[in-house]
Amino acid sequence: MEQIIDIFVRSVFVENMIFAYFLGMCSYLAVSKTVKTASGLGLAVIFVLLITLPVNYLLDRYVLSPGALARINPEWAAVDLGFLSYILFIAVIAAMVQLVEMVVEKFAPALYNNLGIFLPLIAVNCAILGGSLFMQERAYENIWQVLSFALGSGFGWYLAIVSIAAIREKLSYSNIPAPMRGLGIAFIITGLMGIAFMSFMGIQF
Amino acid sequence: MNKRIFLDPLFKNNPVSVLALGICSALAVTVKMEPALVMALSVTLVTGFSGLILSMLRNTIPDRIRIIVQLIVIATLVILVDQVLKAFAYPISKQLSVFVGLIITNCIIMGRIEAFALHNKPFHAFVDGIANGLGYGIILVAVSFFRELFGSGTLMGYSLIPEKWYVSAGGFYENNGLFILPPMALIVVGLIVWVFNARNAKKDKKAWNK
């Protein structure tokens, strides 16, 4: 239990997807002009992470990792399908996003109106694939740890995009040198926020 | 025409600084110049060849499933790059860790395929892909140049600051540890964007005055 909380807190603050690894920067910069759309995209990212990470974890553990196929046929104990993980992870993500989009459209039209336009964007969001690859690299022990990692990194991403959107809303009233407007200042503010987030380094339970 | 396809993405329409594409997997690898160069080379090859392949396939792919087809082609190329790096440059491949895999979701690649390769001849698509990869590489190398120089006092692993300048040897100089930390990458890119935009604005004004 302690470990699960530890993983959650670490992935929200210390190993924040945006401030420590810059994952999902493209949509982070493109969709952070107003708080409302930013929080829609943030929620969609949490949602998709929570669905794709456990699926990829099971796939990694029971199909891709070295020797996993011995369960089916003992002769395959030496088979290592690790090199296929990129292509399978991205296929799972693309398929899941498509599936989620259809299910949400059918059963929760109100939610679809809020999240709908962002869902296809998310299939190629680096934060999602990055989450799967980090999950594989860090070798979490069980599915609860993976779920906590998914929720934590999704929430960290949400926090980051909503706060930059709030800052950018205020920024439109300030007097910034012309070549710096838009992209330049967004980068620098993200950098400054990253420095602030570094003060969380070393937190653990 | 060919020259413009090649030169525009390097400076005028640089994918990173002007269009804000492909920043995701870029910044974490810029602490040192060597991994940055390897990363730039890998991305250039993947953008070039994915453009070439998908442009050859452009008339046969049904419109509805094109995203999946694109992702599969890109992922295959990235697996090739990853296996080559693991075989011939293992230390760098370890340093880049998950960021090689993240080339798949690099928005430059998808962006160029959607915007260019699907409507143009294979050779043009190839040139456009290579040029966009190089434009990305320029930014990556520039950022890593400043970060390695100020952060560790070295370039490509060779130290540039004389040993006796350092405080520990009785001198006055100290490496700036802030440059090694992740947030500094963003600030350096912000400043580079500033310079690019200022130059482009000046040129536009000149053209306009003519």
Short mmCIF file of all heavy atoms in Angstrom, two decimals, chain A residues 158-198:
data_model
loop_
_atom_site.label_atom_id
_atom_site.label_comp_id
_atom_site.label_asym_id
_atom_site.label_seq_id
_atom_site.Cartn_x
_atom_site.Cartn_y
_atom_site.Cartn_z
N TYR A 158 -2.39 16.74 -16.12
CA TYR A 158 -3.57 17.60 -15.97
C TYR A 158 -3.21 18.89 -15.24
O TYR A 158 -3.52 20.00 -15.67
CB TYR A 158 -4.66 16.82 -15.22
CG TYR A 158 -5.90 17.60 -14.93
CD1 TYR A 158 -6.91 17.70 -15.87
CD2 TYR A 158 -6.07 18.22 -13.70
CE1 TYR A 158 -8.05 18.42 -15.61
CE2 TYR A 158 -7.21 18.94 -13.42
CZ TYR A 158 -8.20 19.04 -14.38
OH TYR A 158 -9.32 19.75 -14.12
N LEU A 159 -2.51 18.70 -14.11
CA LEU A 159 -2.09 19.84 -13.28
C LEU A 159 -1.26 20.82 -14.11
O LEU A 159 -1.48 22.02 -14.10
CB LEU A 159 -1.24 19.28 -12.14
CG LEU A 159 -1.17 20.05 -10.85
CD1 LEU A 159 -2.55 20.06 -10.24
CD2 LEU A 159 -0.19 19.40 -9.91
N ALA A 160 -0.31 20.26 -14.88
CA ALA A 160 0.60 21.11 -15.66
C ALA A 160 -0.17 21.89 -16.71
O ALA A 160 0.01 23.10 -16.85
CB ALA A 160 1.68 20.26 -16.30
N ILE A 161 -1.06 21.21 -17.47
CA ILE A 161 -1.70 21.91 -18.58
C ILE A 161 -2.71 22.93 -18.07
O ILE A 161 -2.83 24.04 -18.61
CB ILE A 161 -2.33 20.94 -19.61
CG1 ILE A 161 -2.65 21.72 -20.88
CG2 ILE A 161 -3.55 20.26 -19.10
CD1 ILE A 161 -3.01 20.87 -22.05
N VAL A 162 -3.41 22.61 -16.97
CA VAL A 162 -4.38 23.58 -16.45
C VAL A 162 -3.66 24.80 -15.90
O VAL A 162 -4.08 25.94 -16.13
CB VAL A 162 -5.29 22.93 -15.40
CG1 VAL A 162 -6.11 23.98 -14.69
CG2 VAL A 162 -6.20 21.93 -16.05
N SER A 163 -2.53 24.60 -15.21
CA SER A 163 -1.87 25.79 -14.66
C SER A 163 -1.26 26.65 -15.76
O SER A 163 -1.32 27.87 -15.67
CB SER A 163 -0.85 25.41 -13.59
OG SER A 163 -0.17 24.26 -13.92
N ILE A 164 -0.68 26.03 -16.81
CA ILE A 164 -0.12 26.90 -17.86
C ILE A 164 -1.24 27.63 -18.58
O ILE A 164 -1.09 28.80 -18.95
CB ILE A 164 0.77 26.15 -18.86
CG1 ILE A 164 1.47 27.11 -19.84
CG2 ILE A 164 -0.01 25.23 -19.73
CD1 ILE A 164 2.82 27.42 -19.53
N ALA A 165 -2.41 26.97 -18.73
CA ALA A 165 -3.52 27.65 -19.40
C ALA A 165 -3.97 28.85 -18.59
O ALA A 165 -4.24 29.92 -19.14
CB ALA A 165 -4.67 26.68 -19.62
N ALA A 166 -4.03 28.68 -17.26
CA ALA A 166 -4.43 29.80 -16.41
C ALA A 166 -3.45 30.94 -16.53
O ALA A 166 -3.84 32.11 -16.65
CB ALA A 166 -4.54 29.33 -14.97
N ILE A 167 -2.15 30.61 -16.56
CA ILE A 167 -1.14 31.67 -16.67
C ILE A 167 -1.25 32.35 -18.04
O ILE A 167 -1.19 33.57 -18.15
CB ILE A 167 0.27 31.10 -16.46
CG1 ILE A 167 0.42 30.63 -15.02
CG2 ILE A 167 1.32 32.13 -16.79
CD1 ILE A 167 1.73 29.99 -14.73
N ARG A 168 -1.46 31.55 -19.10
CA ARG A 168 -1.51 32.15 -20.43
C ARG A 168 -2.73 33.04 -20.61
O ARG A 168 -2.69 34.00 -21.37
CB ARG A 168 -1.49 31.06 -21.50
CG ARG A 168 -0.10 30.54 -21.74
CD ARG A 168 -0.09 29.47 -22.77
NE ARG A 168 0.08 30.00 -24.12
CZ ARG A 168 0.27 29.23 -25.18
NH1 ARG A 168 0.30 27.93 -25.04
NH2 ARG A 168 0.43 29.75 -26.35
N GLU A 169 -3.83 32.70 -19.91
CA GLU A 169 -5.00 33.58 -19.98
C GLU A 169 -4.66 34.96 -19.44
O GLU A 169 -5.02 35.99 -20.02
CB GLU A 169 -6.16 32.98 -19.18
CG GLU A 169 -7.03 32.07 -20.01
CD GLU A 169 -8.24 31.59 -19.25
OE1 GLU A 169 -8.49 32.06 -18.13
OE2 GLU A 169 -8.94 30.71 -19.79
N LYS A 170 -3.94 35.00 -18.33
CA LYS A 170 -3.53 36.30 -17.76
C LYS A 170 -2.49 36.98 -18.63
O LYS A 170 -2.45 38.21 -18.73
CB LYS A 170 -2.92 36.09 -16.36
CG LYS A 170 -3.88 35.54 -15.35
CD LYS A 170 -4.71 36.66 -14.74
CE LYS A 170 -5.73 36.09 -13.82
NZ LYS A 170 -7.11 36.41 -14.20
N LEU A 171 -1.63 36.15 -19.27
CA LEU A 171 -0.52 36.70 -20.04
C LEU A 171 -0.97 37.55 -21.20
O LEU A 171 -0.25 38.44 -21.63
CB LEU A 171 0.30 35.55 -20.60
CG LEU A 171 1.60 35.31 -19.89
CD1 LEU A 171 2.08 33.94 -20.18
CD2 LEU A 171 2.62 36.26 -20.36
N SER A 172 -2.18 37.26 -21.72
CA SER A 172 -2.60 38.00 -22.90
C SER A 172 -2.77 39.48 -22.60
O SER A 172 -2.86 40.27 -23.51
CB SER A 172 -3.89 37.40 -23.46
OG SER A 172 -4.82 37.27 -22.43
N TYR A 173 -2.78 39.85 -21.30
CA TYR A 173 -2.90 41.28 -20.97
C TYR A 173 -1.56 41.94 -20.76
O TYR A 173 -1.49 43.13 -20.52
CB TYR A 173 -3.73 41.47 -19.70
CG TYR A 173 -5.11 40.90 -19.84
CD1 TYR A 173 -5.47 39.77 -19.13
CD2 TYR A 173 -6.03 41.50 -20.69
CE1 TYR A 173 -6.73 39.25 -19.26
CE2 TYR A 173 -7.29 40.96 -20.84
CZ TYR A 173 -7.64 39.84 -20.12
OH TYR A 173 -8.88 39.31 -20.28
N SER A 174 -0.46 41.15 -20.77
CA SER A 174 0.81 41.77 -20.41
C SER A 174 1.62 42.14 -21.65
O SER A 174 1.37 41.63 -22.75
CB SER A 174 1.61 40.86 -19.49
OG SER A 174 1.64 39.58 -20.03
N ASN A 175 2.57 43.00 -21.45
CA ASN A 175 3.31 43.60 -22.54
C ASN A 175 4.62 42.83 -22.76
O ASN A 175 5.61 43.07 -22.10
CB ASN A 175 3.59 45.06 -22.19
CG ASN A 175 4.14 45.82 -23.36
OD1 ASN A 175 4.16 45.29 -24.47
ND2 ASN A 175 4.61 47.01 -23.12
N ILE A 176 4.59 41.89 -23.71
CA ILE A 176 5.74 41.03 -23.95
C ILE A 176 6.40 41.48 -25.24
O ILE A 176 5.71 41.88 -26.18
CB ILE A 176 5.28 39.57 -24.09
CG1 ILE A 176 4.50 39.18 -22.85
CG2 ILE A 176 6.44 38.63 -24.31
CD1 ILE A 176 3.66 37.96 -23.07
N PRO A 177 7.75 41.45 -25.33
CA PRO A 177 8.41 41.80 -26.60
C PRO A 177 7.83 40.98 -27.74
O PRO A 177 7.62 39.77 -27.59
CB PRO A 177 9.87 41.41 -26.36
CG PRO A 177 10.03 41.35 -24.89
CD PRO A 177 8.70 41.11 -24.28
N ALA A 178 7.59 41.62 -28.89
CA ALA A 178 6.82 40.97 -29.97
C ALA A 178 7.35 39.61 -30.40
O ALA A 178 6.56 38.68 -30.54
CB ALA A 178 6.72 41.92 -31.15
N PRO A 179 8.68 39.41 -30.64
CA PRO A 179 9.11 38.10 -31.12
C PRO A 179 8.94 37.00 -30.08
O PRO A 179 8.98 35.82 -30.40
CB PRO A 179 10.60 38.30 -31.42
CG PRO A 179 10.85 39.73 -31.34
CD PRO A 179 9.78 40.35 -30.52
N MET A 180 8.74 37.40 -28.83
CA MET A 180 8.67 36.46 -27.73
C MET A 180 7.25 35.94 -27.54
O MET A 180 7.03 34.94 -26.88
CB MET A 180 9.10 37.25 -26.50
CG MET A 180 9.62 36.50 -25.36
SD MET A 180 11.07 35.60 -25.73
CE MET A 180 11.56 35.36 -24.06
N ARG A 181 6.27 36.67 -28.13
CA ARG A 181 4.86 36.33 -27.87
C ARG A 181 4.51 34.93 -28.32
O ARG A 181 5.06 34.43 -29.30
CB ARG A 181 3.96 37.34 -28.57
CG ARG A 181 3.54 38.43 -27.60
CD ARG A 181 2.77 39.52 -28.28
NE ARG A 181 3.21 40.78 -27.70
CZ ARG A 181 3.08 41.95 -28.26
NH1 ARG A 181 2.52 42.06 -29.44
NH2 ARG A 181 3.51 43.01 -27.64
N GLY A 182 3.56 34.32 -27.65
CA GLY A 182 3.11 32.99 -28.05
C GLY A 182 4.06 31.90 -27.58
O GLY A 182 4.20 31.65 -26.40
N LEU A 183 4.76 31.31 -28.56
CA LEU A 183 5.57 30.15 -28.28
C LEU A 183 6.72 30.42 -27.32
O LEU A 183 6.92 29.70 -26.33
CB LEU A 183 6.11 29.62 -29.61
CG LEU A 183 6.59 28.20 -29.62
CD1 LEU A 183 5.52 27.30 -29.06
CD2 LEU A 183 6.95 27.82 -31.03
N GLY A 184 7.48 31.47 -27.61
CA GLY A 184 8.68 31.74 -26.81
C GLY A 184 8.39 31.86 -25.34
O GLY A 184 9.00 31.19 -24.49
N ILE A 185 7.41 32.70 -25.01
CA ILE A 185 7.12 32.94 -23.60
C ILE A 185 6.52 31.69 -22.95
O ILE A 185 6.79 31.41 -21.78
CB ILE A 185 6.20 34.17 -23.45
CG1 ILE A 185 6.25 34.70 -22.02
CG2 ILE A 185 4.78 33.89 -23.86
CD1 ILE A 185 7.51 35.42 -21.69
N ALA A 186 5.79 30.90 -23.75
CA ALA A 186 5.22 29.66 -23.18
C ALA A 186 6.34 28.71 -22.75
O ALA A 186 6.28 28.10 -21.69
CB ALA A 186 4.31 28.98 -24.18
N PHE A 187 7.37 28.62 -23.58
CA PHE A 187 8.52 27.77 -23.22
C PHE A 187 9.15 28.25 -21.93
O PHE A 187 9.44 27.48 -21.02
CB PHE A 187 9.59 27.82 -24.32
CG PHE A 187 9.39 26.84 -25.40
CD1 PHE A 187 9.27 27.25 -26.71
CD2 PHE A 187 9.32 25.49 -25.12
CE1 PHE A 187 9.09 26.33 -27.72
CE2 PHE A 187 9.15 24.58 -26.12
CZ PHE A 187 9.03 25.01 -27.43
N ILE A 188 9.40 29.56 -21.86
CA ILE A 188 10.15 30.07 -20.70
C ILE A 188 9.33 29.90 -19.43
O ILE A 188 9.85 29.50 -18.38
CB ILE A 188 10.56 31.52 -20.97
CG1 ILE A 188 11.66 31.48 -22.03
CG2 ILE A 188 11.07 32.19 -19.70
CD1 ILE A 188 12.25 32.76 -22.40
N ILE A 189 8.02 30.15 -19.53
CA ILE A 189 7.18 29.96 -18.34
C ILE A 189 7.16 28.51 -17.91
O ILE A 189 7.25 28.20 -16.72
CB ILE A 189 5.76 30.48 -18.61
CG1 ILE A 189 5.81 31.99 -18.58
CG2 ILE A 189 4.79 30.00 -17.56
CD1 ILE A 189 4.53 32.62 -18.91
N THR A 190 7.09 27.59 -18.90
CA THR A 190 7.13 26.17 -18.53
C THR A 190 8.43 25.84 -17.82
O THR A 190 8.45 25.10 -16.84
CB THR A 190 6.98 25.30 -19.79
OG1 THR A 190 5.90 25.78 -20.56
CG2 THR A 190 6.74 23.86 -19.42
N GLY A 191 9.52 26.42 -18.32
CA GLY A 191 10.81 26.21 -17.66
C GLY A 191 10.79 26.69 -16.23
O GLY A 191 11.24 25.99 -15.31
N LEU A 192 10.23 27.89 -16.02
CA LEU A 192 10.18 28.43 -14.65
C LEU A 192 9.30 27.56 -13.76
O LEU A 192 9.64 27.28 -12.59
CB LEU A 192 9.66 29.87 -14.67
CG LEU A 192 10.59 30.86 -15.37
CD1 LEU A 192 9.97 32.23 -15.42
CD2 LEU A 192 11.94 30.92 -14.69
N MET A 193 8.16 27.08 -14.32
CA MET A 193 7.31 26.19 -13.53
C MET A 193 8.05 24.91 -13.19
O MET A 193 7.91 24.36 -12.10
CB MET A 193 6.03 25.87 -14.29
CG MET A 193 5.01 27.00 -14.29
SD MET A 193 3.82 26.78 -15.59
CE MET A 193 2.84 25.48 -14.93
N GLY A 194 8.85 24.44 -14.15
CA GLY A 194 9.63 23.23 -13.90
C GLY A 194 10.59 23.42 -12.75
O GLY A 194 10.75 22.55 -11.90
N ILE A 195 11.23 24.62 -12.69
CA ILE A 195 12.15 24.90 -11.58
C ILE A 195 11.39 24.87 -10.27
O ILE A 195 11.84 24.31 -9.27
CB ILE A 195 12.86 26.25 -11.80
CG1 ILE A 195 13.78 26.15 -13.00
CG2 ILE A 195 13.65 26.62 -10.56
CD1 ILE A 195 14.50 27.40 -13.34
N ALA A 196 10.15 25.45 -10.28
CA ALA A 196 9.35 25.43 -9.06
C ALA A 196 9.03 23.99 -8.66
O ALA A 196 9.11 23.63 -7.48
CB ALA A 196 8.06 26.22 -9.27
N PHE A 197 8.69 23.15 -9.66
CA PHE A 197 8.34 21.76 -9.34
C PHE A 197 9.53 20.98 -8.81
O PHE A 197 9.37 19.95 -8.16
CB PHE A 197 7.77 21.06 -10.58
CG PHE A 197 6.28 20.97 -10.56
CD1 PHE A 197 5.53 22.12 -10.66
CD2 PHE A 197 5.63 19.77 -10.43
CE1 PHE A 197 4.16 22.07 -10.63
CE2 PHE A 197 4.25 19.71 -10.40
CZ PHE A 197 3.53 20.86 -10.50
N MET A 198 10.75 21.46 -9.13
CA MET A 198 11.91 20.71 -8.64
C MET A 198 12.05 20.74 -7.14
O MET A 198 12.76 19.94 -6.56
CB MET A 198 13.17 21.27 -9.28
CG MET A 198 13.23 20.89 -10.73
SD MET A 198 14.72 21.41 -11.46
CE MET A 198 15.79 20.41 -10.52
#
